[in-house]
C-alpha cells in the first residue's frame, strides 16, 4: 500500500469519527428546556451552586463550536440571569481538581447533560467514591434510553436525590422521575417527581422527600441496644421500655423489620482511636441503628450520626441523703424563738406577782403562800396542771387569765414541736463538684464506657480533670447501667454517682434510700444513632418528628415515667425515730437521777439533824 493510500484511509477514518461524534449531539435538549428544568430543580432544593457535567475532555475539539456555544449560553443564563454559581466540567476534571474536598461545596446540584456512553462510564466510576446522597442530581436521558439499564452499575442509596428527566411518548412533556434503591443490590425504584411543558412550566411536588419515600418494603434493619431498665430493656424477642415502644412505632411507620443485637455498653473511644460498645458496632457496620439513650457528644459526632433528639435532660451527680436522725439537743426549745420564751417567763413572773400582791394586800385573809410557791403554781398551769383555788375573786380572775394563756401557749408549742420532730431535716455535706473533691471521703463513679466517662476523660476543666485522675480512675468496677450505679449509692457508704435527672426520678422508686442531687453539671441531649453513611437516617428522623409533633412521643415518656414512679414510696407517713426523742428521754433520766440525789441529800440532812438534836431530860 502506497503512502498516499495510507493517508487517504486515515483521513476517511478521521472523517467517520467526526461524523459519528456529530451524529451524537452533546446537548440532547433545546437550551430553553435545560434552562427551565435546571431552574425548577434548583429552586425546589435551594441549591447554592450548579455543576454541568459533560462527557468530553475537550468540548471544542470533539463537539464543535456550535455545541460549545450552547453550553456557554446555558452557563451564562444560570450564572447571570439566576445569579447561581455555575461551573462546566467533565467527571475526570472533577476528580482531579475536587475529589475528596467535594464536601466543601454546600448543597450542590450536579447536572448530567446527556446519557452518552462516555458520561455513563465516568458516572459509574465517580459513584464508587463519592457520597451519592451529598449532592442533588439531575440526569437528562434521550427517548430511547432505558433508565434501569443506564443505572444498572450505579448504586443510588435510599436518601439520594437523583432526578431523571425524560420525554413522554408524545415528546411534548418532560417527566422528571425520582429514582433510588432501598439497599445495595436492590431493584431500582422510581416515582414521578415533577413534570414540565412549555405552556405550564415546571410543576414541582408538594410532598417532602420522606412523605414520598415512606416505605422500606420490609427491609431488615439491624438494631443494637443495651440493658438499661426501665428506658431500654433487653427481652427475649426484642427491646422493651421506652425505646422499645419507639422502635415498634418506627417499624410500623417505615414498613420494615428489625433484627436485634445486644451491646455490653454505650461505647467510648479508646486511646488508639477505636470504639467500644454500641458505637463500635455502628462504626464497623454490625448494626444499622442504636436504639438506646445515647448522649450526643462531640467525639461521637465524628464517628456516627445522631437522629433527631428524643428528649433533653440534665446530668448531675447524686449522693445518698445524709442521715437526719442525729440527736437534736435543741429540739424542745427550737419550736419557740428566744423572745417567745422570754415573754412566757415574764408572764409567769407577772402573774405570780399579781397573785402575791392581791393576797398580801387583802384584809380578809393573811398571806398564806410564799412567792416561790406561787411561781411554781403558775408554772404548773403553763404545763397543763391545775392551781389551788382561791376564795378571792380577783385572784380567780388572774387564775382564769393564766389558764387561758397557758392553753394557747401549750397548744402552739405542741403543734410546733410535733412538726419539728416529724419533718426530716438534713444538711448536705457539699453541693458542687468542687465540694465533692475537697471532701475527700466519697467515692465517685459513672456508667462503664459511657458518654459520662468521656466527659471527664476529655475535659479541660481543672476540677473535672482532678476528679477523673483522683477518683474515677481508682474505680476498677464501674456500674453497667444507671440502675446499678444508683443501687450502689444506697448500698455503699459515701458513694457518688453521675446520672441523668429523668433516670434518677424514674429509678427512685426501685431504690432503698433517698437521693440528693448536686448542682447541674451538663445539659444532656438524648438521641439514637446510625452509621455515618446510613441512608436511613432521614426516614428515621421524619418518623421521630411525626411522633413528636403528634404528641405520641410525649405520651410514651409520661407513661413510662409514671409506670415506674408508682413504685416509689409505699407509705406517705413519716415516723419519729428513737434518736429524735433522745433529748427528752435523757432529760427524764437526768431528772430522775437528780430527784434521787436530792432525796438522798434530804435523808442525810434529816438524819444528821436527828443525831445532833439534844435529848429531853427526864
Amino acid at each position: 500500500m502506497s503512502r498516499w493510500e495510507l493517508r487517504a484511509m486515515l483521513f476517511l477514518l478521521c472523517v467517520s469519527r467526526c461524523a459519528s461524534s456529530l451524529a451524537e449531539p452533546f446537548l440532547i435538549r433545546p437550551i430553553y428546556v435545560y434552562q427551565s428544568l435546571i431552574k425548577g430543580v434548583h429552586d425546589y432544593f435551594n441549591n447554592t451552586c450548579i455543576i454541568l457535567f459533560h462527557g468530553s475532555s475537550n468540548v471544542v475539539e470533539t463537539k464543535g463550536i456550535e455545541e460549545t456555544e450552547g453550553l456557554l449560553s446555558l452557563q451564562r443564563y444560570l450564572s447571570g440571569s439566576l445569579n447561581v454559581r455555575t461551573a462546566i466540567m467533565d467527571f475526570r476534571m472533577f476528580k482531579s481538581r475536587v475529589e475528596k474536598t467535594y464536601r466543601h461545596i454546600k448543597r450542590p446540584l450536579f447536572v448530567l447533560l446527556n446519557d452518552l456512553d462516555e458520561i455513563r462510564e465516568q458516572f459509574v466510576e465517580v459513584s464508587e467514591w463519592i457520597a451519592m446522597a451529598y449532592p442533588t442530581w439531575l440526569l437528562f436521558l434521550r427517548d430511547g434510553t432505558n433508565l434501569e439499564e443506564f443505572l444498572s452499575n450505579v448504586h443510588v442509596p435510599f436518601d439520594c436525590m437523583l432526578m431523571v428527566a425524560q420525554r413522554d411518548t408524545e415528546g411534548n412533556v418532560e417527566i422528571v422521575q425520582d429514582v433510588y434503591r432501598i439497599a445495595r443490590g436492590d431493584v431500582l425504584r422510581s416515582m414521578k417527581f415533577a413534570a414540565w411543558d412549555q405552556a405550564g412550566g415546571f410543576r414541582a411536588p408538594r410532598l417532602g422527600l420522606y412523605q414520598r419515600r415512606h416505605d422500606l418494603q420490609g427491609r431488615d434493619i439491624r438494631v443494637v441496644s443495651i440493658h438499661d431498665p426501665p428506658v431500654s430493656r433487653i427481652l427475649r424477642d426484642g427491646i422493651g421500655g421506652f425505646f422499645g415502644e419507639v422502635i415498634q412505632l418506627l417499624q410500623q411507620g417505615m414498613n420494615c423489620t428489625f433484627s436485634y443485637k445486644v451491646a455490653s455498653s454505650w461505647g467510648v473511644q479508646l486511646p488508639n482511636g477505636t470504639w467500644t460498645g454500641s458505637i463500635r458496632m455502628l462504626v464497623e457496620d454490625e448494626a444499622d441503628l442504636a436504639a438506646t439513650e445515647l448522649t450526643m457528644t462531640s467525639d461521637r459526632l465524628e464517628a456516627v450520626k445522631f437522629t433527631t433528639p428524643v428528649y433533653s435532660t440534665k446530668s448531675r451527680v447524686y449522693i445518698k441523703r445524709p442521715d437526719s436522725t442525729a440527736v437534736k439537743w435543741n429540739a424542745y426549745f427550737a419550736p419557740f424563738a428566744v423572745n417567745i420564751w422570754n415573754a412566757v417567763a415574764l408572764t409567769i413572773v407577772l402573774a405570780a406577782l399579781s397573785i402575791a400582791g392581791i393576797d398580801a394586800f387583802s384584809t380578809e385573809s393573811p398571806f398564806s403562800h410564799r412567792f416561790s410557791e406561787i411561781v411554781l403554781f403558775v408554772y404548773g398551769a403553763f404545763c397543763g396542771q391545775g392551781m389551788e383555788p382561791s376564795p378571792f375573786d380577783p385572784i380567780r380572775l388572774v387564775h382564769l387569765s393564766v389558764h387561758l394563756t397557758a392553753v394557747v401557749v401549750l397548744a402552739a408549742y405542741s403543734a410546733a414541736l410535733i412538726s419539728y420532730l416529724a419533718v426530716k431535716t438534713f444538711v448536705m455535706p457539699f453541693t458542687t463538684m468542687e465540694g465533692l473533691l475537697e471532701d475527700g471521703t466519697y467515692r465517685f463513679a459513672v456508667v462503664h464506657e459511657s458518654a459520662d466517662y468521656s466527659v471527664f476523660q476529655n475535659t479541660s476543666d481543672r476540677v473535672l480533670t482532678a476528679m477523673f485522675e483522683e477518683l474515677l480512675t481508682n474505680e476498677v468496677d464501674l456500674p453497667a447501667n444507671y440502675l446499678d450505679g444508683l443501687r450502689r449509692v444506697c448500698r455503699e457508704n459515701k458513694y457518688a454517682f453521675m446520672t441523668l435527672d429523668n433516670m434518677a426520678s424514674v429509678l427512685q422508686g426501685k431504690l432503698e434510700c433517698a437521693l440528693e442531687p448536686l448542682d447541674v453539671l451538663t445539659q444532656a441531649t438524648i438521641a439514637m444513632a446510625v452509621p455515618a453513611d446510613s441512608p436511613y437516617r432521614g426516614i428515621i428522623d421524619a418518623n421521630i418528628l411525626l411522633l413528636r409533633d403528634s404528641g405520641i412521643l410525649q405520651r410514651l415518656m409520661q407513661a413510662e415515667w409514671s409506670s415506674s414512679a408508682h413504685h416509689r414510696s409505699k407509705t406517705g407517713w413519716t415516723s419519729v425515730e428513737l434518736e429524735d426523742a433522745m433529748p427528752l428521754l435523757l432529760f427524764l433520766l437526768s431528772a430522775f437521777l437528780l430527784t434521787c440525789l436530792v432525796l438522798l441529800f434530804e435523808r442525810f440532812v434529816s438524819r444528821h439533824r436527828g443525831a445532833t438534836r439534844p435529848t429531853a431530860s427526864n
Side-chain angles (χ1 to χ4, degrees), residues 155 158 181-186 189 215-223 250-251 254-259 285 288 535-536 539:
H155 173 55
F158 183 77
R181 303 181 195 273
I182 293 180
R184 184 177 290 275
D186 191 21
R189 304 175 188 274
D215 193 346
L216 290 180
Q217 303 291 331
R219 168 69 179 172
D220 180 61
I221 305 295
R222 299 167 297 172
V223 178
L250 291 180
Q251 182 174 356
M254 299 188 301
N255 187 24
C256 62
T257 59
F258 288 137
S259 58
D285 196 29
D288 301 312
Y536 308 117
I539 190 172

Side-chain angles (χ1 to χ4, degrees), residues 145-431:
T145 303
N146 183 273
L147 175 61
E148 289 78 7
E149 182 181 350
F150 184 86
L151 298 175
S152 59
N153 296 325
V154 177
H155 173 55
V156 185
F158 183 77
D159 58 341
C160 178
M161 294 171 289
L162 175 59
M163 266 55 65
V164 179
Q166 195 170 27
R167 287 182 293 193
D168 64 355
T169 56
E170 297 180 358
N172 299 323
V173 180
E174 293 280 350
I175 303 298
V176 182
Q177 297 186 79
D178 184 6
V179 299
Y180 63 93
R181 303 181 195 273
I182 293 180
R184 184 177 290 275
D186 191 21
V187 298
L188 187 70
R189 304 175 188 274
S190 63
M191 64 180 66
K192 183 178 179 180
F193 174 76
W196 177 90
D197 57 46
Q198 194 167 3
F202 185 80
R203 298 180 293 277
R206 295 183 178 181
L207 298 179
L209 176 63
Y210 294 107
Q211 290 177 306
R212 304 191 306 272
R213 300 183 194 176
H214 56 80
D215 193 346
L216 290 180
Q217 303 291 331
R219 168 69 179 172
D220 180 61
I221 305 295
R222 299 167 297 172
V223 178
V224 61
S225 186
I226 68 168
H227 187 64
D228 184 32
V231 178
S232 58
R233 296 190 298 269
I234 302 300
L235 306 177
R236 181 175 301 177
D237 57 347
I239 304 174
F242 170 73
F243 280 94
E245 296 292 338
V246 174
I247 284 296
Q248 293 300 320
L249 293 174
L250 291 180
Q251 182 174 356
Q252 297 174 10
M254 299 188 301
N255 187 24
C256 62
T257 59
F258 288 137
S259 58
Y260 299 96
K261 298 184 178 183
V262 181
S264 59
S265 64
W266 286 298
V268 295
Q269 189 174 25
L270 301 177
N272 60 5
T274 60
W275 287 85
T276 63
S278 62
I279 303 296
R280 180 196 64 79
M281 298 180 69
L282 294 176
V283 171
E284 298 181 3
D285 196 29
E286 296 181 13
D288 301 312
L289 174 64
T292 184
E293 59 276 26
L294 290 172
T295 303
M296 299 177 68
T297 59
S298 57
D299 56 341
R300 287 178 174 177
L301 284 170
E302 297 177 357
V304 298
K305 297 296 183 182
F306 286 94
T307 64
T308 295
V310 180
Y311 61 86
S312 297
T313 183
K314 293 180 175 60
S315 181
R316 69 179 90 204
V317 175
Y318 283 79
I319 62 174
K320 181 167 62 176
R321 178 176 294 177
D323 189 9
S324 61
T325 59
V327 178
K328 303 174 184 178
W329 296 106
N330 64 335
Y332 297 92
F333 296 97
F336 281 171
V338 176
N339 55 350
I340 299 296
W341 286 116
N342 293 335
V344 171
L346 181 60
T347 301
I348 293 174
V349 173
L350 292 177
L353 288 175
S354 299
I355 295 174
I358 295 173
D359 204 1
F361 288 100
S362 176
T363 57
E364 299 180 3
S365 174
F367 183 73
S368 58
H369 297 290
R370 290 179 296 177
F371 179 74
S372 59
E373 292 177 340
I374 297 175
V375 171
L376 291 176
F377 290 152
V378 177
Y379 174 74
F382 274 85
C383 293
Q385 303 297 318
M387 296 178 65
E388 183 178 354
S390 173
F392 302 110
D393 291 337
I395 295 179
R396 291 177 180 176
L397 292 175
V398 175
H399 285 184
L400 178 60
S401 302
V402 169
H403 280 287
L404 290 176
T405 305
V407 168
V408 175
V409 171
L410 185 60
Y413 176 79
S414 300
L417 178 62
I418 293 172
S419 301
Y420 187 81
L421 294 177
V423 175
K424 299 296 182 181
T425 58
F426 58 90
V427 177
M428 290 286 289
F430 44 80
T431 58

